[in-house]
Amino acid sequence: MEQLVEAHKDEYGEKPDVMACAPGRVHLLGEHTWFFKDKTLSMAVNLPVYIGVSKRSDTNLRFNFVQLKEKKRSTLSSLKYKKEDKWANAIKSVIYGFGASGFECSGMNFTVYSEILPSAGFGITNAVKIASAWAIKELHRFKCPLEEIMRVLERANMQFYGNAGFKADNFTVIHSKENSLVLTDYAKNTFDIVPFKFKDKIVVLTDARVPRITTWNEESLFQPENVLLLGELKERRTNVYGGWYYADNGPEVNEVLSVVNEDLRRHLVCVMNEHKNILKCEAALRKEDFASFARAVNHSHEDMRDLYDISCPEIDWLLKRVQELDESPDDLRNPVNCGRITGKGFGRCTYTILRKCDLEGYKEKLAEYERIFRFKPEFYVVKPAKGVRLI
């Protein structure tokens, strides 16, 4: 906080009027299934983004990201998405969202302070957006309850970015609590807080530094006809979270999906499997059953690799080494560690949940990874964090 204040003073000659902080986040499972009204299991993590903002006497907007040493500028009358504005688009979108919701903003100076850069893929840009929304609301004393802020953020996504956004991002960063996960149900547009009580474990996020190379366009999967296909395979189940389940009957699944090509079929099967894995994780978390939780996470990565086609050899190598930290790596029924690719996929990031005693062994695997693949990974030991707040 003190560094944020000093950076704001150095850039604008005054202290920030308001400061806010929002956590980073990682999606454990389900980030690729929102279009099908499925579920996403997420964790807010203690990789904080700090925002400082002060009012101006004109209609200009100034943005400064301390660690990136980047400065951007705009005006209230020319708020539009610009590719070159990168992270600043997140703040601009929120200002736009307030305006589209009937709130009048003044000119402002912004300082962004984050030790983790947006390129790492741990929800930093979204944290910038949420923290900015809280800071702008406080700065202008807007009478804006939480429901209205959610609408501001939706307008920021739909009207500024031109997409529906990802509700799990907002629910996680706004509502998360310490030592808990956030489970978003897209069918009901709701979320639940699920305790994460594996106290003998640590969570490690790894930026594998692998350049993302997209091998297929994920948006090609997001078509109404595919939603209808999977809708035929949904069955009501009163004994599972959310009240429904995808059919387990192999012949029925094959018959329904016989109208699509093989690549699309595999991707849709992965969506179905992911929903089942989330339900298994939810049940395991409630029972504090780490082995069942870990099996579901590991199976999810196998599906991301083999069916959804978004992993890469470097990521797979890292996660295979995680399994080898177990004294009985072939005992697939009782894993003591787990991990998965996370984020947009096609390379870059993983999360692993390890026994505390395995951290040093994992560091050794990362050093070996660097020698073999020539990418220098960065890792962060994190824990589930609470949501956005004013400082």
Side-chain angles (χ1 to χ4, degrees):
M1 185 178 68
E2 292 175 357
Q3 292 168 307
L4 172 67
V5 170
E6 289 304 313
H8 198 87
K9 286 174 59 180
D10 288 345
E11 181 65 23
Y12 305 115
E14 60 185 3
K15 293 182 178 180
D17 298 318
V18 175
M19 293 180 288
C21 176
R25 63 98 191 98
V26 57
H27 297 306
L28 303 184
L29 295 94
E31 70 267 56
H32 300 282
T33 67
W34 62 271
F35 189 80
F36 299 92
K37 301 297 182 182
D38 286 1
K39 300 170 180 67
T40 302
L41 184 64
S42 312
M43 177 189 293
V45 294
N46 57 329
L47 300 177
V49 171
Y50 298 92
I51 296 288
V53 57
S54 57
K55 276 189 177 182
R56 296 178 60 96
S57 58
D58 54 25
T59 60
N60 291 327
L61 300 167
R62 298 291 184 266
F63 314 99
N64 178 34
F65 197 128
V66 176
Q67 283 75 13
L68 284 174
K69 298 180 180 180
E70 287 185 0
K71 301 172 185 178
K72 306 292 182 180
R73 59 177 59 200
S74 185
T75 65
L76 291 173
S77 61
S78 62
L79 283 172
K80 61 179 65 175
Y81 177 86
K82 294 182 179 179
K83 186 176 181 179
E84 62 270 21
D85 281 349
K86 304 175 185 175
W87 52 271
N89 283 314
I91 306 175
K92 289 163 58 181
S93 74
V94 173
I95 300 170
Y96 181 96
F98 274 113
S101 302
F103 297 97
E104 185 176 350
C105 293
S106 68
M108 289 171 279
N109 294 323
F110 290 88
T111 298
V112 181
Y113 193 97
S114 172
E115 296 290 350
I116 313 301
L117 302 183
S119 60
F122 299 131
I124 301 305
T125 299
N126 192 66
V128 170
K129 184 188 302 181
I130 303 296
S132 297
W134 255 246
I136 292 169
K137 172 183 177 293
E138 178 69 13
L139 181 71
H140 293 88
R141 297 292 191 268
F142 289 148
K143 294 181 179 179
C144 185
L146 181 58
E147 294 78 8
E148 185 62 37
I149 289 187
M150 295 300 288
R151 286 191 284 271
V152 166
L153 294 171
E154 289 174 4
R155 292 183 177 108
N157 287 326
M158 288 293 293
Q159 299 177 28
F160 187 86
Y161 281 106
N163 60 57
F166 198 36
K167 291 186 186 299
D169 282 340
N170 294 342
F171 285 154
T172 302
V173 175
I174 292 172
H175 297 288
S176 59
K177 300 181 183 301
E178 292 181 348
N179 302 316
S180 298
L181 307 181
V182 177
L183 181 51
T184 298
D185 186 336
Y186 277 91
K188 298 179 179 179
N189 195 28
T190 59
F191 70 94
D192 278 318
I193 303 296
V194 184
F196 185 81
K197 295 184 178 180
F198 304 129
K199 295 181 180 179
D200 61 330
K201 307 294 181 181
I202 58 172
V203 181
V204 182
L205 305 184
T206 302
D207 183 351
R209 311 293 290 183
V210 184
R212 290 191 179 98
I213 302 176
T214 303
T215 57
W216 65 283
N217 182 6
E218 186 179 21
E219 292 185 3
S220 65
L221 185 65
F222 300 154
Q223 303 298 326
E225 56 267 29
N226 295 332
V227 175
L228 293 175
L229 281 177
L230 292 194
E232 294 182 40
L233 296 168
K234 291 182 177 181
E235 300 178 352
R236 291 196 176 277
R237 298 277 187 91
T238 58
N239 61 336
V240 299
Y241 179 86
W244 65 271
Y245 205 79
Y246 280 115
D248 281 325
N249 187 305
E252 180 184 0
V253 172
N254 290 335
E255 180 179 355
V256 171
L257 299 184
S258 64
V259 298
V260 301
N261 63 48
E262 177 59 20
D263 284 344
L264 182 53
R265 188 193 71 83
R266 288 188 300 106
H267 297 156
L268 292 175
V269 168
C270 182
V271 169
M272 296 171 62
N273 290 350
E274 188 75 344
H275 185 259
K276 295 173 185 176
N277 286 325
I278 290 174
L279 295 183
K280 291 176 181 177
C281 279
E282 188 271 341
L285 287 163
R286 302 288 186 190
K287 298 176 183 177
E288 300 181 36
D289 177 359
F290 182 79
S292 296
F293 174 86
R295 285 199 304 272
V297 168
N298 289 336
H299 288 160
S300 176
H301 178 73
E302 292 166 4
D303 286 340
M304 292 296 114
R305 178 192 68 202
D306 300 335
L307 297 178
Y308 213 70
D309 303 318
I310 63 169
S311 191
C312 62
E314 295 87 349
I315 294 289
D316 298 336
W317 186 93
L318 272 176
L319 293 174
K320 181 65 174 177
R321 304 290 86 74
V322 169
Q323 295 179 19
E324 292 174 356
L325 295 172
D326 188 348
E327 291 83 0
S328 302
D330 297 326
D331 182 8
L332 301 180
R333 295 294 305 171
N334 294 287
V336 297
N337 300 316
C338 63
R340 179 186 180 276
I341 192 171
T342 189
K344 297 179 180 179
F346 305 104
R348 203 63 194 251
C349 300
T350 70
Y351 70 86
T352 52
I353 303 175
L354 305 171
R355 296 178 298 186
K356 293 179 180 179
C357 63
D358 284 329
L359 179 58
E360 291 304 317
Y362 183 67
K363 292 179 182 179
E364 293 175 5
K365 300 298 184 184
L366 290 179
E368 185 179 355
Y369 167 88
E370 183 177 355
R371 290 194 298 270
I372 294 172
F373 295 103
R374 302 299 181 184
F375 295 120
K376 184 175 179 58
E378 294 183 358
F379 74 95
Y380 311 90
V381 178
V382 300
K383 57 185 178 181
K386 61 183 178 180
V388 61
R389 65 191 189 277
L390 293 170
I391 304 173

